[in-house]
Amino acid sequence: MKTIGLIGGMSWESTATYYKLLNEEVKAQLGGLHSAKIVMMSVDFAEIEKMQMQGDWDAAAQVLSQAAVSLQSAGADFFLICTNTMHKVAEQVQSAVAIPLLHIADATGSALVSNSIKSVGLLGTAFTMEQDFYKGRLIEQFDLDVVIPNSAERQLVHRIIYEELCLGKIENRSKQQYLDVVHNLVDRGAQAIILGCTEISLLISAADTEIPLYDTTSIHAHRAVNRALNE
């Protein structure tokens, strides 16, 4: 079994879900008392969030790069950045180490293509929905048509992530607002929806709608275990 490296803490709420999913999947595949081999560096999200809002992505990349170096030194065979948004600096972080990064958009794109999805709605932070580092990768490498919410909906989705979900607050009103956005994306042609922020699955799940939801946290964790055990 390979050792999985995690750069977590963005937020710790979703990182806890990663840890649980990785261990559950290893147990499901190997049985008995088996659990995942994991090393983790968990950053202070308040520092990262400040850099995001100031647009200081180089500083954020440096923090995550240092975390990746620590994972490599601790024996990780490959690593994950446990957040969608910070894949904006994925190339800089990867360049700091020799061990490979398992990119969350690649894991998600592969899952969509395997299910013959052509058009997909994308929910996430404003950075993820509006910038090309994530949706551009899905378009260019997986030939997907990516549909994003309108401006007002993007502001709503972004605000709920930072002001509620990252703080562990789960509000019924916010759940309904998210589901309304989901249905609007479907009306615009989306065959499925990417939950492109690792906290969104704390708010909505497959049980809330008949529309296929692709939970990036679950997909990323599942792909990591397959890599750790089978590659």
Side-chain angles (χ1 to χ4, degrees):
M1 184 192 309
K2 291 184 173 68
T3 299
I4 303 168
L6 302 179
I7 301 179
M10 302 169 285
S11 67
W12 72 262
E13 300 279 348
S14 63
T15 304
T17 302
Y18 266 96
Y19 186 80
K20 182 174 184 288
L21 290 171
L22 289 168
N23 283 291
E24 287 177 344
E25 184 63 23
V26 167
K27 183 177 181 180
Q29 292 199 33
L30 299 182
L33 296 175
H34 285 288
S35 56
K37 292 183 178 179
I38 297 170
V39 294
M40 180 170 66
M41 285 295 299
S42 190
V43 303
D44 181 358
F45 189 41
E47 296 175 359
I48 299 295
E49 188 269 346
K50 184 177 180 180
M51 295 169 187
Q52 290 175 342
M53 298 309 164
Q54 293 175 341
D56 195 353
W57 296 100
D58 288 339
Q62 184 175 2
V63 173
L64 268 60
S65 294
Q66 291 172 347
V69 170
S70 295
L71 293 176
Q72 180 173 262
S73 298
D77 293 297
F78 65 96
F79 72 105
L80 284 62
I81 300 174
C82 299
T83 166
N84 289 269
T85 298
M86 292 311 298
H87 280 74
K88 179 176 173 65
V89 298
E91 290 185 7
Q92 296 100 304
V93 179
Q94 175 65 91
S95 68
V97 291
I99 59 174
L101 167 68
L102 178 56
H103 199 293
I104 196 168
D106 293 348
T108 302
S110 295
L112 289 161
V113 170
S114 69
N115 290 329
S116 300
I117 299 295
K118 298 294 185 182
S119 180
V120 64
L122 174 61
L123 299 181
T125 66
F127 309 112
T128 300
M129 292 185 288
E130 296 172 359
Q131 299 180 21
D132 279 339
F133 71 89
Y134 194 94
K135 65 182 181 183
R137 194 177 184 100
L138 294 173
I139 293 167
E140 294 169 10
Q141 297 194 19
F142 298 94
D143 196 28
L144 291 165
D145 177 26
V146 181
V147 185
I148 64 172
N150 64 39
S151 179
E153 290 172 333
R154 293 197 302 271
Q155 291 178 29
L156 172 73
V157 170
H158 182 91
R159 181 190 62 76
I160 289 172
I161 289 170
Y162 280 91
E163 296 182 9
E164 297 178 18
L165 302 183
C166 287
L167 298 174
K169 297 179 181 178
I170 308 301
E171 304 287 349
N172 287 333
R173 180 172 180 271
S174 297
K175 173 182 280 193
Q176 187 55 56
Q177 289 174 321
Y178 263 52
L179 291 174
D180 290 343
V181 173
V182 165
H183 286 91
N184 289 341
L185 290 171
V186 172
D187 288 343
R188 293 169 53 202
Q191 298 169 279
I193 305 296
I194 297 173
L195 306 185
C197 174
T198 51
E199 281 81 21
I200 295 178
S201 61
L202 301 173
L203 184 65
I204 62 173
S205 68
D208 299 313
T209 177
E210 296 180 356
I211 299 157
L213 302 180
Y214 283 73
D215 174 5
T216 54
T217 305
S218 178
I219 291 168
H220 206 197
H222 180 79
R223 183 69 185 84
V225 170
N226 283 344
R227 184 166 190 161
L229 298 181
N230 304 313
E231 296 183 10

